[in-house]
Amino acid sequence: MTVHAIIGGTGLTQLEGLTLSAALNLDTPFGAPSAAILRGNYAGAEVLFLARHGHPHRLAPHRINYRANLWALKEAGAEAVIAVNAVGGIHPDMGTGHFCVPHQLIDYTSGRVNTFYEDDTQAVEHIEFADPYDAGLRAALCAALAAEGCAYSSQGVYGCTQGPRLETAAEIARMQRDGCDLVGMTGMPETGLARELGLPYACLALVVNPAAGLSSTPISMADIEQALRAGMDQVRATLARVLAGA
């Protein structure tokens, strides 16, 4: 069976139901990952879990050591990665509580270290990245969402912004023109780094708010937290179905 790593984002700093066998505090050539990597059994499958923002949630999106996170997961034995992301909805279909398994992304970040090929210690490899997400993992996530009866979209374009502030209405309008369906802050460089390491990678995105300027009321952190609480049971059930069928 494939050993899956789950990277938990905002709202998923721990994986309830995980039968823990080890907590791995790994060092990497790029420093320490966000938190200990938890190895255990979930839905009858071996799984690795990492809290992207640390546990408790403390690391802003631009301060996450993405390279250490991905490197440590591979060192721990990960063979594929499912990333859970809380996002804002841009496309009209992407309302609060809706799930999306994106097929494309646009990177709007700046200043993040986005490659393992940062110095001259090894030959640079220009990875193929036309389709950033793994088709097999995406199909498994979509099948699990359908089986759970979740409202979801089987594709979408994820726009990754710098954060930690939310976007302006004009920025979201630009992203709409660019073709983005979702907005988040952690999709890159995580996705690209997984590709550099040869790790199949897919994103399970939960919409927790309408993006800036697309609602008649301001974005409220209380509303976001409520949407996260409401959606996490479905996230865990979806992950369990994917792992059980791996």
Side-chain angles (χ1 to χ4, degrees):
M1 292 181 67
T2 301
V3 177
H4 287 80
I6 297 170
I7 301 178
T10 301
L12 193 69
T13 57
Q14 54 187 340
L15 187 59
E16 294 178 14
L18 176 68
T19 302
L20 186 66
S21 60
L24 307 175
N25 291 290
L26 301 179
D27 197 12
T28 80
F30 310 99
S34 297
I37 294 174
L38 304 182
R39 174 182 285 142
N41 185 283
Y42 191 74
E46 182 182 0
V47 69
L48 301 166
F49 178 79
L50 175 63
R52 182 188 289 116
H53 296 275
H55 181 57
H57 187 292
R58 69 185 189 282
L59 295 171
H62 68 295
R63 299 294 295 171
I64 293 167
N65 191 338
Y66 295 95
R67 293 195 299 177
N69 285 354
L70 271 299
W71 188 276
L73 286 171
K74 183 160 187 179
E75 285 292 297
E79 297 172 311
V81 177
I82 298 173
V84 179
N85 297 75
V87 299
I90 297 177
H91 191 280
D93 290 346
M94 307 292 175
T96 299
H98 192 82
F99 285 92
C100 182
V101 182
H103 72 297
Q104 278 295 335
L105 63 82
I106 300 176
D107 187 3
Y108 298 94
T109 65
S110 61
R112 300 185 185 186
V113 181
N114 62 5
T115 180
F116 291 108
Y117 302 106
E118 192 183 24
D119 52 39
D120 59 0
T121 60
Q122 55 185 323
V124 174
E125 180 181 352
H126 300 284
I127 60 167
E128 197 281 330
F129 203 53
D131 297 301
Y133 300 107
D134 181 79
L137 275 180
R138 289 184 58 247
L141 284 167
C142 289
L145 287 164
E148 286 297 317
C150 299
Y152 77 98
S153 296
S154 61
Q155 64 178 28
V157 178
Y158 178 123
C160 187
T161 58
Q162 181 71 356
R165 67 166 177 83
L166 298 177
E167 299 73 35
T168 68
E171 287 169 334
I172 294 299
R174 173 199 173 189
M175 295 175 74
Q176 280 181 309
R177 293 192 296 272
D178 287 348
C180 294
D181 301 302
L182 307 165
V183 57
M185 300 176 187
T186 55
M188 283 294 284
E190 192 172 273
T191 312
L193 293 169
R195 179 64 58 89
E196 286 190 351
L197 291 176
L199 289 170
Y201 178 104
C203 167
L204 176 60
L206 169 64
V207 179
V208 296
N209 62 275
L214 301 180
S215 173
S216 59
T217 58
I219 297 172
S220 160
M221 291 310 299
D223 290 342
I224 290 175
E225 290 167 2
Q226 181 178 349
L228 284 167
R229 288 192 297 270
M232 280 305 120
D233 284 344
Q234 291 176 310
V235 167
R236 286 186 286 267
T238 299
L239 293 173
R241 282 189 180 270
V242 172
L243 295 172

